[in-house]
């Protein structure tokens, strides 16, 4: 999973990236201090594989990972070359979802690029730049396909489809809200890789004082939540400064620190949960003496395709999947004991993998 972190200058975007990845992207109180995208890979916390690792006395525990891309601060007019211009666009097109950091804190010492704190205005500023960039992509495609439309019915159909999306975007709407009429339109939409077709998670960046009640008393956060609900987006409350402090602590210290603040989970935990929800993802597990590992798949994935996440040969030569729930495996103490209790199923090609399944794949190539 690859998430792009975007936001206007001085909203706490690079501070958040630093704390999430400990990658040390330069963070300063002025625009464009992050010129090249910084990339950091973060392990997804998963107690299940740690427990399985102890059960198997495994040599290696490998969690699922998320790749974060910190994309340079955007400003009004970025799609037309203002600020860093189109430099951010190629980086953002490669991500699965966008984490949009919005400033929901007041601080006279941290300048806002527009002079005042207004998260919905900031969201719409960036959305407008993404819309402009998408229209530019579609207009290029329209010019190319328009020349061939007279001689090919399918190309003519695509041309009409492109015109409909452009009209949708010109009305100020995002591509993610456009309803495709058939499989052709769905395939074309996917091929354009539009920025505004990507799922969005809003990170409402608040002061430490607003963390305890999850931003409930912060009017800026309320507006972000309303906007997110109206646009089928995710949202979570975070304090980037606190996350930066947490990032320096070990697990035990982190737990004590969160408890002192009255928090049950860190911002990273919130973000991971939100990204799994919005991208419709879950994890299945593999366990043994050599390695215990979490694998990220889409909800609804069938056994052969899950096997293909491990190796293409597993999918190609799939025979059966030996499946046990991780809780049952831990309670019984071994796969053999779980088998004896009838808790292990032998599943075929139509089996839909569930979150927390521990799977041993049988295959023959």
């Amino acid at each position: 999973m690859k998430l792009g972190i975007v936001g206007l200058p001085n909203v706490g975007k690079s501070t958040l990236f630093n704390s999430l990845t400990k990658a040390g992207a330069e963070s300063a109180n002025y625009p464009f201090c992050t010129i090249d995208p910084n990339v950091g890979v973060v392990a997804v916390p998963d107690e299940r594989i740690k427990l399985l690792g102890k059960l198997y006395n495994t040599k290696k525990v490998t969690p699922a990972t998320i790749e974060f891309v910190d994309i340079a601060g955007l400003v009004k007019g970025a799609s037309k070359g203002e600020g860093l211009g189109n430099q951010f666009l190629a980086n953002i097109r490669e991500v699965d979802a966008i984490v949009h950091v919005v400033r929901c804190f007041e601080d006279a010492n941290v300048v806002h690029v527009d002079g005042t704190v207004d998260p919905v205005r900031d969201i719409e500023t960036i959305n407008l730049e993404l819309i402009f960039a998408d229209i530019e992509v579609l207009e290029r495609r329209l010019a190319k396909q328009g020349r061939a439309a007279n001689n090919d019915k399918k190309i003519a159909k695509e041309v009409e489809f492109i015109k409909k999306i452009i009209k949708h975007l010109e009305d100020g709407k995002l591509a993610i809200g456009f309803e495709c009429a058939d499989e052709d339109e769905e395939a074309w939409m996917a091929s354009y890789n539009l920025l505004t077709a990507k799922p969005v998670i809003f990170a409402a960046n608040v002061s430490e004082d607003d963390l305890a009640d999850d931003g409930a008393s912060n009017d800026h956060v309320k507006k972000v939540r309303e906007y997110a609900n109206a646009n089928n987006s995710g949202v979570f409350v975070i304090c980037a400064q606190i996350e930066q402090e947490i990032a320096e602590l070990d697990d035990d210290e982190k737990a004590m620190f969160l408890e002192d603040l009255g928090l049950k989970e860190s911002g990273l935990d919130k973000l991971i949960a939100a990204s799994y929800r919005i991208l419709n993802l879950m994890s299945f597990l593999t366990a043994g003496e050599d390695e215990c590992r979490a694998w990220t798949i889409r909800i609804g994935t069938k056994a052969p395709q899950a096997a293909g996440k491990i190796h293409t040969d597993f999918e190609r030569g799939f025979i059966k999947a030996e499946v046990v729930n991780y809780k049952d495996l831990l309670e019984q103490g071994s796969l053999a004991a779980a088998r004896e209790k009838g808790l292990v199923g032998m599943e075929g090609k139509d089996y839909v993998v569930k979150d927390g399944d521990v799977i041993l794949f049988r295959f023959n190539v």
Side-chain angles (χ1 to χ4, degrees):
M1 178 165 39
K2 194 171 187 179
L3 303 178
I5 303 181
V6 303
L8 289 170
N10 296 342
V11 297
K13 179 176 63 68
S14 290
T15 304
L16 177 60
F17 173 81
N18 291 350
S19 62
L20 294 179
T21 64
K22 301 184 188 176
E26 184 184 356
S27 177
N29 182 19
Y30 57 89
F32 314 133
C33 60
T34 317
I35 294 175
D36 294 313
N38 290 273
V39 179
V41 178
V42 175
V44 175
D46 194 334
E47 194 64 25
R48 299 172 302 185
I49 52 169
K50 291 181 183 176
L51 295 171
L52 288 170
K54 289 178 183 175
L55 178 67
Y56 279 88
N57 195 24
T58 192
K59 295 172 187 170
K60 186 179 179 186
V61 173
T62 307
T65 58
I66 296 179
E67 189 173 308
F68 288 105
V69 183
D70 181 27
I71 293 159
L74 311 183
V75 291
K76 196 177 291 182
S79 61
K80 301 298 179 189
E82 292 295 322
L84 296 173
N86 285 327
Q87 186 173 332
F88 74 93
L89 297 178
N91 305 321
I92 212 174
R93 286 195 193 280
E94 301 306 315
V95 302
D96 299 307
I98 294 168
V99 179
H100 186 159
V101 183
V102 285
R103 178 170 167 176
C104 295
F105 65 89
E106 302 281 352
D107 187 340
N109 296 315
V110 182
V111 295
H112 188 288
V113 71
D114 285 327
T116 56
V117 176
D118 184 342
V120 173
R121 177 201 60 207
D122 293 354
I123 289 167
E124 290 174 345
T125 294
I126 285 188
N127 281 350
L128 203 56
E129 297 311 315
L130 302 184
I131 285 170
F132 287 149
D134 281 348
I135 289 172
E136 195 178 315
V137 166
L138 291 168
E139 285 178 341
R140 285 201 300 268
R141 179 74 179 173
L142 186 62
K144 180 184 174 187
Q145 295 299 78
R147 292 190 290 270
N150 293 333
N151 305 317
D152 189 310
K153 284 185 179 178
K154 189 160 186 179
I155 293 176
K157 181 183 174 185
E158 185 189 358
V159 165
E160 290 308 309
F161 174 63
I162 294 170
K163 289 177 181 176
K164 283 193 292 184
I165 307 174
I166 290 175
K167 174 69 170 64
H168 178 85
L169 293 170
E170 285 176 342
D171 289 341
K173 299 171 185 172
L174 307 181
I176 198 166
F178 185 91
E179 291 189 16
C180 294
D182 55 33
E183 289 182 0
D184 283 343
E185 291 190 356
E186 286 172 3
W188 288 324
M189 181 67 93
S191 72
Y192 305 148
N193 202 13
L194 299 177
L195 302 174
T196 63
K198 296 183 184 296
V200 176
I201 305 162
F202 293 108
N205 188 16
V206 300
S207 67
E208 182 182 335
D209 294 340
D210 288 327
L211 265 186
D213 68 353
D214 202 35
S217 56
N218 182 311
D219 288 339
H220 297 312
V221 174
K222 288 176 189 172
K223 289 175 184 174
V224 174
R225 285 192 166 123
E226 287 168 8
Y227 186 94
N229 289 336
N231 291 275
N232 296 318
S233 300
V235 61
F236 70 102
V237 173
I238 197 166
C239 175
Q241 288 292 348
I242 292 293
E243 289 302 309
Q244 199 163 37
E245 291 178 40
I246 289 173
E248 304 302 321
L249 306 175
D250 63 31
D251 288 347
D252 290 339
E253 290 173 328
K254 186 187 296 184
M256 288 172 62
F257 187 74
L258 289 171
E259 191 177 331
D260 288 344
L261 290 171
L263 303 176
K264 293 179 181 176
E265 56 186 352
S266 70
L268 176 59
D269 295 332
K270 288 183 186 177
L271 174 51
I272 288 170
S275 57
Y276 268 67
R277 276 195 304 273
I278 206 160
L279 290 170
N280 207 29
L281 300 174
M282 66 177 200
S283 296
F284 75 91
L285 315 166
T286 53
E289 290 180 7
D290 288 333
E291 184 181 39
C292 288
R293 183 163 180 168
W295 305 85
T296 303
I297 56 171
R298 289 201 180 278
I299 293 171
T301 299
K302 292 185 177 180
Q305 288 69 50
K309 286 287 289 184
I310 299 173
H311 198 287
T312 52
D313 284 351
F314 284 27
E315 182 175 358
R316 193 159 51 91
F318 178 88
I319 301 171
K320 289 282 182 185
E322 200 168 358
V323 183
V324 60
N325 180 270
Y326 82 97
K327 286 182 181 175
D328 291 335
L329 180 55
L330 289 170
E331 284 172 9
Q332 298 306 317
S334 72
L335 191 60
R339 278 198 201 101
E340 283 179 18
K341 289 283 180 71
L343 298 171
V344 180
M346 292 297 286
E347 307 292 351
K349 292 183 178 180
D350 291 329
Y351 177 73
V352 177
V353 176
K354 299 181 184 70
D355 188 52
D357 277 349
V358 181
I359 306 180
L360 178 63
F361 292 105
R362 309 288 185 189
F363 71 103
N364 184 27
V365 177

